[in-house]
């Protein structure tokens, strides 16, 4: 392992820029304005900081664990709960990977062609849908090759992406502050409009305070990623003893980045004018905000090109780094959790320490999903849309279960690890805070869907995690029965041989 990749500062940078999402920051500003700061602060205090402490202690207590989340839960709750949770966790990332591969070419098109090629009818004299499907398959192949060559390449990609992300934050924050200083008389009016405007979720059924509640589950997932980063602790060489502290420092940096970015948008941007732009929606929001920002700086086309293409470069590299990370880490944990379930060939590692056959199978399944979705059959498209809606819930549930396991961990483990929490009462409070926050967010997400789309839609929202849990439990039970059967046969053979 190359030492320069694993210095403490670089680990903090990678953690911070992996958890922080520039698109989440702009979406938070666009959907509920400066009210997002209140919700992010609430979620930070009640969920993110407690969860960062829990993750830091767990990674410190299990520094060499390849199973990460599975090992934490198997040791402190039960192997069955651990496997089911790990399966749901992996399934949510699998669906997310498919979604990201389909979105990967939006920043690529902006970077290379200066426009969103996903909105074009033809490309290279061929139907754009065919070209984009081919590019998505090519992207899956490239990411599989990167993962094949080992974690060092993934770490380098994460670090490069992190540097670009810091540059993008500096560009947007710096530009917004520059615009604010150019027109200081507009700072307070801009902030007032951004703080008092209606939320994006406002409707006849969701008004006032209730219209802000859908943002709660979004705020939790905006702080997501600590679980994935934590599963890489055994890969950082001689920096393992510093990794847990780096998680905390990186978590603090994420909070600063979110607040700095959102406040700067509020100071330098007329919130009402952004909302009134007819061609701005949640799909192209980030690039719309950047375009609006560059037009405020100058009418020179070169300035617009620089802002747009640098944003596209940053997001393209961020998607690649994220896909490489979640294409590797969750699968690694799942394979460790199902050592007795998956074929032995899946568990074999190549010369670079990668379960490459499993990675290839994962890539082929994702490619199949991409092709089916691109063909656009109604059944597959509807199924995929439902799975995408379920992803926030499926990603949040494992966080809840890890937090629930934390008091048991504190009561059971007494070795030498980063003990940030000394008293059991405080450990129970942190766990309860995380569990309650996630539970309320999930409950209101389901409630808001039922309110807007009906009871059936609310039931379908829960269906994904439930089906994943049922399938995982089936695999676990079948494997347990087979293991007992093999053990009984072995004991019978030994008994006969002794006679």
């Amino acid at each position: 392992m190359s030492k320069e990749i694993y210095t403490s500062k670089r680990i903090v940078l990678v953690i911070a820029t992996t958890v922080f999402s520039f698109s989440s920051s702009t979406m938070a500003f666009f959907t509920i304005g400066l009210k997002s700061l209140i919700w992010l602060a609430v979620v930070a205090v009640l969920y993110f900081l407690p969860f960062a402490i829990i993750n830091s202690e767990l990674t410190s207590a299990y520094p060499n664990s390849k199973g990460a989340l599975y090992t934490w839960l198997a040791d402190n709750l039960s192997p069955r709960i651990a496997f089911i949770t790990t399966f749901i966790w992996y399934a949510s990332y699998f669906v997310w990977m498919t979604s990201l591969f389909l979105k990967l070419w939006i920043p690529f098109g902006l970077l290379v062609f200066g426009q969103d090629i996903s909105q074009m009818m033809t490309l290279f004299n061929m139907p754009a849908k065919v070209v984009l499907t081919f590019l998505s398959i090519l992207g899956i192949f490239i990411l599989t090759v990167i993962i094949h060559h080992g974690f060092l390449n993934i770490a380098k990609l994460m670090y490069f992406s992190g540097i670009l992300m810091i540059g993008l934050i500096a560009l947007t924050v710096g530009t917004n502050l520059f615009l604010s200083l150019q027109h200081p008389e507009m700072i307070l009016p801009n902030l007032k409009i951004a703080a008092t405007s209606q939320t994006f979720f406002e409707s006849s059924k969701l008004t006032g305070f209730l219209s802000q509640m859908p943002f709660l589950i979004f705020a939790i997932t905006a702080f997501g990623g600590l679980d994935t980063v934590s599963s890489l602790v055994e890969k950082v060489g001689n920096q393992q003893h510093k990794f847990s502290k780096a998680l905390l420092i990186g978590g603090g940096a994420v909070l600063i980045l979110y607040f700095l970015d959102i406040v700067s948008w509020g100071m330098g941007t007329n919130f009402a004018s952004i909302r009134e732009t007819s061609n701005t929606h949640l799909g192209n929001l980030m690039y719309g905000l950047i375009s609006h920002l560059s037009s405020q700086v100058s009418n020179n086309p070169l300035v617009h090109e620089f802002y747009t293409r640098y944003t596209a470069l940053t997001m393209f590299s961020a998607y690649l780094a994220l896909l490489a990370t979640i294409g590797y880490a969750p699968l690694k944990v799942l394979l460790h959790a199902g050592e007795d379930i998956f074929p032995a060939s899946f568990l074999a590692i190549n010369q670079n320490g990668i379960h490459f056959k499993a990675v290839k199978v994962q890539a082929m399944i994702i490619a199949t999903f991409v092709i089916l979705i691109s063909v656009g059959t109604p059944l597959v498209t509807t199924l995929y849309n439902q799975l995408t809606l379920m992803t926030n819930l499926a990603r949040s549930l494992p966080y809840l279960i890890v937090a629930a396991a934390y008091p048991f961990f504190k009561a059971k483990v007494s070795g030498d690890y980063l003990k940030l929490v000394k008293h059991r009462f405080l450990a129970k409070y942190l766990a309860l805070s995380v569990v309650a926050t996630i539970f309320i967010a999930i409950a209101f997400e389901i409630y808001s869907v039922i309110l807007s789309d009906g009871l059936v839609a609310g039931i379908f929202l829960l269906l994904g995690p439930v089906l994943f849990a049922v399938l995982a439990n089936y695999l676990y039970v079948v494997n347990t029965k087979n293991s007992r059967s093999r053990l009984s046969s072995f004991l019978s053979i030994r008994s006969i041989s002794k006679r």
Side-chain angles (χ1 to χ4, degrees), residues 174-294:
T175 303
N176 276 311
L177 290 178
F178 170 76
L179 293 171
S180 301
L181 294 175
Q182 290 287 95
H183 302 282
E185 73 282 358
M186 293 303 298
I187 293 176
L188 289 178
N190 282 345
L191 290 174
K192 184 179 179 180
I193 292 170
T196 58
S197 295
Q198 286 187 337
T199 74
F200 180 80
F201 308 108
E202 192 93 19
S203 68
S204 58
K205 295 180 179 179
L206 283 178
T207 59
F209 177 76
L210 284 179
S211 70
Q212 300 176 41
M213 287 297 287
F215 185 76
L216 184 56
I217 192 76
F218 171 81
I220 288 173
T221 53
F223 285 118
L226 277 181
D227 51 335
T228 309
V229 176
S230 297
S231 66
L232 303 175
V233 61
E234 96 281 3
K235 290 291 184 180
V236 296
N238 59 8
Q239 294 292 326
Q240 283 180 345
H241 64 291
K242 298 180 181 179
F243 188 86
S244 301
K245 292 180 180 178
L247 270 178
L248 288 177
I249 297 169
V254 170
L255 290 175
I256 293 170
L257 292 176
Y258 271 127
F259 279 76
L260 192 63
D261 204 39
I262 293 170
V263 169
S264 70
W265 280 113
M267 291 172 60
T269 307
N270 187 309
F271 187 71
S273 67
I274 292 292
R275 281 282 187 85
E276 289 166 3
T277 304
S278 59
N279 61 350
T280 300
H281 52 77
L282 294 183
N284 66 4
L285 168 63
M286 177 173 49
Y287 305 104
L289 279 172
I290 290 294
S291 177
H292 179 81
L293 189 66
S294 64

Side-chain angles (χ1 to χ4, degrees), residues 74-134:
D75 275 7
N76 299 292
L77 290 179
S78 77
R80 175 183 283 197
I81 292 173
F83 180 75
I84 292 171
T85 305
T86 303
F87 193 89
I88 293 171
W89 181 67
Y90 171 78
S92 68
Y93 275 112
F94 180 89
V95 174
W96 195 28
M97 274 191 283
T98 307
S99 174
L100 284 174
F101 274 114
L102 290 168
K103 293 194 298 185
L104 183 63
W105 306 109
I106 295 175
F108 177 81
L110 288 166
L111 175 63
V112 176
F113 302 103
Q115 58 180 311
D116 181 1
I117 59 176
S118 67
Q119 301 300 315
M120 298 170 65
M121 296 300 294
T122 60
L123 192 62
F124 305 124
N125 295 321
M126 295 178 65
K129 184 180 283 189
V130 174
V131 177
L132 290 171
T133 302
F134 171 77

